[in-house]
Amino acid sequence: MRTLTVLALMAIAGAAGAAEKCELVKKGYGPEGKAAVKLETVVAGLEVPWGIGFLPGGNALVTERPGRLRLVPALTRRKAGDATKLPLVATIAVDSDEEGGLLGIAVHPRFEQNRFFYLYMTVREGGRKSNRVERWRLAEDLGSARFDKRIVEGIPSAAYHDGGRIRFGPDGMLYVGTGDGREPDRSQDPRSLGGKVLRLTPDGEVPGDNPNQGNPLYVLGVRNTQGFDWSGGRFYVTDHGPSGELMRRGHDEVNLASPGANLGWPAVYACETRAGMVTPSLTWESAVPPGGAAFYTGTAIPEWRGSLLIGTLRSKHLHRVKFSAAEPGAVELHEVYFQDQAGRLREVVMGPDGAVYLTTSNCDGRGDCPEGRDQILRLLPSR
């Protein structure tokens, strides 16, 4: 059942689609975090695990970019497991060159009734490469899954900037983060699915209360988002900054975005302002760039409650952002954890046990692939 409509979200967000203040980090990534926390390995031996979808009861599905979908039994989370011993639920034909492949996963809010889950993937058909979201149904015994239907297809794809994060929002709608497919102008084109956050019903229809009637567009002006989440009815989106386009580099972003917001790519970047476009809450001169993102809703680390946790890839750390209660788009503090301790961090998600789970992407061709290959990690208090 839907708990919030777009109109309700607009009322909450109001005119705060842009940050009241933009914090620019000119050197490094931020101060070292002070909370006593640790990482422990849940599963090792994976190959670029991109997304985790928790099922009722604590089991989880994890995607590996080459096209494998594995089941992580709830019992496995109690001790380190070997990925080669995890059940292989499905092998999916994907185009996994560079940044494409089997990427995000989202579990239907009524999974217990319909057993549906959703996958974002890069495919090649008729010699043409594209991204799409498919709906699948998991077998009762958890041992297999079958394709159900295509939810949205024809999302632009390229070697880089494929987006890939999908999540169900508090309103029961499916949100899909896409990249510009290396053509920046797509991000400003409302007719293109590239460079957007899309909002769809669980059946793939355009909700009647979307910002633009008949259009799945929810946020535009995106370069390549891989992380977004909600807190207090407000929608926060991370985005990758430029890596040479228009003679610009760095300046990855954390944004507060209201329905229909324009994050500004490629017209503005860093802390630049322009009428009708969102100025980031936080940006860094040095490339981060952000992977997954999730608000901390657990209780084990009380000082983190309500903070946005962001995995980072090139800068190889977990970033915590606390927003101001008085000015939701303004950053009250931000800090760095686990710098260079686990390598490239991709997925960040809250588990049903109240712990934070992360995946590494050290074997994606850009990191140093260790003997134990990529991992699923759990973050816990160390005190």
Side-chain angles (χ1 to χ4, degrees):
M1 182 176 293
R2 295 175 64 187
T3 57
L4 286 173
T5 65
V6 164
L7 291 178
L9 287 167
M10 285 180 172
I12 292 171
E20 295 294 328
K21 300 176 182 177
C22 175
E23 179 156 345
L24 172 62
V25 182
K26 294 185 176 181
K27 184 177 181 180
Y29 305 106
E32 184 177 351
K34 295 180 172 58
V37 290
K38 64 181 180 180
L39 293 175
E40 61 181 29
T41 300
V42 176
V43 177
L46 293 161
E47 187 175 1
V48 196
W50 216 94
I52 302 174
F54 282 98
L55 305 174
N59 296 318
L61 295 172
V62 58
T63 60
E64 290 181 275
R65 205 171 68 183
R68 291 183 290 272
L69 178 69
R70 295 188 185 274
L71 179 75
V72 181
L75 289 175
T76 301
R77 298 207 311 275
R78 298 178 186 174
K79 58 182 180 179
D82 180 353
T84 62
K85 297 179 181 179
L86 294 180
L88 186 60
V89 176
T91 301
I92 301 167
V94 296
D95 188 316
S96 59
D97 289 343
E98 299 296 343
E99 292 182 356
L102 185 58
L103 305 178
I105 182 170
V107 175
H108 195 291
R110 297 195 303 276
F111 175 84
E112 290 179 299
Q113 288 75 47
N114 56 37
R115 308 197 66 77
F116 285 147
F117 64 94
Y118 299 71
L119 297 170
Y120 187 110
M121 63 188 69
T122 311
V123 297
R124 190 179 293 273
E125 292 182 335
R128 183 181 178 186
K129 186 177 178 181
S130 67
N131 293 300
R132 67 175 178 238
V133 177
E134 295 183 354
R135 187 168 72 187
W136 287 60
R137 190 190 300 269
L138 187 66
E140 292 284 346
D141 65 2
L142 310 181
S144 62
R146 61 180 176 84
F147 167 79
D148 178 68
K149 67 177 294 187
R150 296 182 183 183
I151 296 298
V152 59
E153 55 189 328
I155 299 169
S157 176
Y160 312 112
H161 310 178
D162 283 289
R165 191 65 60 201
I166 55 175
R167 301 191 72 167
F168 276 94
D171 55 1
M173 298 294 109
L174 181 66
Y175 291 74
V176 180
T178 73
D180 68 8
R182 302 188 76 182
E183 292 190 19
D185 288 343
R186 282 179 176 147
S187 299
Q188 292 295 324
D189 184 354
R191 299 165 298 178
S192 173
L193 298 177
K196 310 292 190 299
V197 177
L198 311 176
R199 179 177 182 263
L200 298 159
T201 71
D203 292 324
E205 303 298 325
V206 176
D209 57 353
N210 263 16
N212 294 334
Q213 190 70 30
N215 192 324
L217 182 157
Y218 187 74
V219 172
L220 74 160
V222 173
R223 182 174 179 269
N224 187 38
T225 183
Q226 295 184 13
F228 49 82
D229 201 6
W230 295 258
S231 179
R234 297 180 176 90
F235 186 53
Y236 294 83
V237 184
T238 65
D239 198 15
H240 290 198
S243 53
E245 303 98 315
L246 306 175
M247 304 298 289
R248 298 169 170 178
R249 290 191 177 275
H251 298 90
D252 304 293
E253 300 179 356
V254 181
N255 302 275
L256 169 61
S258 56
N262 187 336
L263 300 193
W265 175 252
V268 297
Y269 91 129
C271 286
E272 294 175 352
T273 61
R274 180 176 292 192
M277 295 183 178
V278 174
T279 299
S281 297
L282 177 64
T283 184
W284 301 261
E285 282 194 0
S286 299
V288 170
F295 277 96
Y296 183 75
T297 58
T299 58
I301 314 169
E303 62 268 40
W304 279 19
R305 186 87 176 174
S307 296
L308 184 64
L309 304 180
I310 305 166
T312 73
L313 297 162
R314 183 173 178 178
S315 58
K316 301 177 183 178
H317 73 271
L318 180 71
H319 209 86
R320 174 195 171 214
V321 182
K322 181 180 180 182
F323 296 97
S324 167
E327 300 177 78
V331 173
E332 183 174 306
L333 67 86
H334 66 100
E335 52 188 10
V336 172
Y337 287 88
F338 310 117
Q339 180 76 64
D340 295 323
Q341 293 183 32
R344 295 164 57 82
L345 297 178
R346 179 80 60 178
E347 171 73 295
V348 181
V349 63
M350 292 298 305
D353 56 357
V356 179
Y357 288 81
L358 308 97
T359 67
T360 68
S361 278
N362 293 317
C363 301
D364 64 357
R366 296 185 178 180
D368 297 321
C369 188
E371 184 177 347
R373 302 191 67 74
D374 280 318
Q375 302 179 4
I376 298 175
L377 306 170
R378 176 170 46 221
L379 185 152
L380 296 168
S382 59
R383 53 183 179 271

